[in-house]
């Protein structure tokens, strides 16, 4: 399934800046960054649960927030539209470095 993860981490304190880096690193392990605080992750239900657990262990819920959008499994490509500078990535295509 395609899951869109968005986050807002309060970075006014040095601890917040550390949390922000950790949140981004965790998300990079599961998907592709498409905006500064937005990741698209093509994952299964088990990976989704693991991702949520990892992220909730890092954030401070008094200051930070996470949002997860489950876009579905088969027709998620029809639910995503991109306009603008950054090219959309084919999450199922080969990675070319």
């Amino acid at each position: 399934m395609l899951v869109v993860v968005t986050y807002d981490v309060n970075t006014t304190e040095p601890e917040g800046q550390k949390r922000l880096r950790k949140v981004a690193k965790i998300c990079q392990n599961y998907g592709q960054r498409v905006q500064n605080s937005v990741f698209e992750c093509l994952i299964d239900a088990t990976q989704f649960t693991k991702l949520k657990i990892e992220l909730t262990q890092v954030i401070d819920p008094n200051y930070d927030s996470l949002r997860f959008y489950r876009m579905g499994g088969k027709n998620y490509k029809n639910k995503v539209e991109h306009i603008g500078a950054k090219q959309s990535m084919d999450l199922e295509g080969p990675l070319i470095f």
Side-chain angles (χ1 to χ4, degrees), residues 14 28 33 51 78 83 94:
Q28 284 178 328
R33 183 189 300 264
L51 172 62
N78 297 332
I83 300 170

Side-chain angles (χ1 to χ4, degrees), residues 3-96:
V3 176
V4 177
V5 180
T6 67
Y7 54 88
D8 188 17
V9 177
N10 184 333
T11 59
T12 57
E13 306 278 331
E15 297 83 20
Q17 294 171 5
K18 287 181 185 179
R19 290 194 311 272
L20 178 65
R21 285 190 295 274
K22 287 180 182 179
V23 167
K25 184 147 181 91
I26 291 168
C27 288
Q28 284 178 328
N29 291 334
Y30 288 89
Q32 178 71 37
R33 183 189 300 264
V34 293
Q35 297 284 325
N36 286 336
S37 296
V38 180
F39 281 79
E40 291 179 353
C41 306
L42 195 56
I43 54 180
D44 61 30
T46 302
Q47 291 169 316
F48 179 51
T49 301
K50 192 174 168 192
L51 172 62
K52 285 194 303 186
I53 290 169
E54 288 182 42
L55 290 174
T56 55
Q57 289 175 343
V58 170
I59 69 159
D60 183 339
N62 295 313
Y63 300 103
D64 310 330
S65 67
L66 297 167
R67 293 182 71 88
F68 301 95
Y69 299 91
R70 288 176 279 205
M71 305 299 286
K74 294 184 180 182
N75 296 321
Y76 71 85
K77 290 182 182 180
N78 297 332
K79 298 177 183 176
V80 178
E81 182 178 348
H82 174 82
I83 300 170
K86 263 189 176 175
Q87 291 285 20
S88 292
M89 296 285 199
D90 180 4
L91 297 175
E92 295 176 301
L95 293 175
I96 300 173

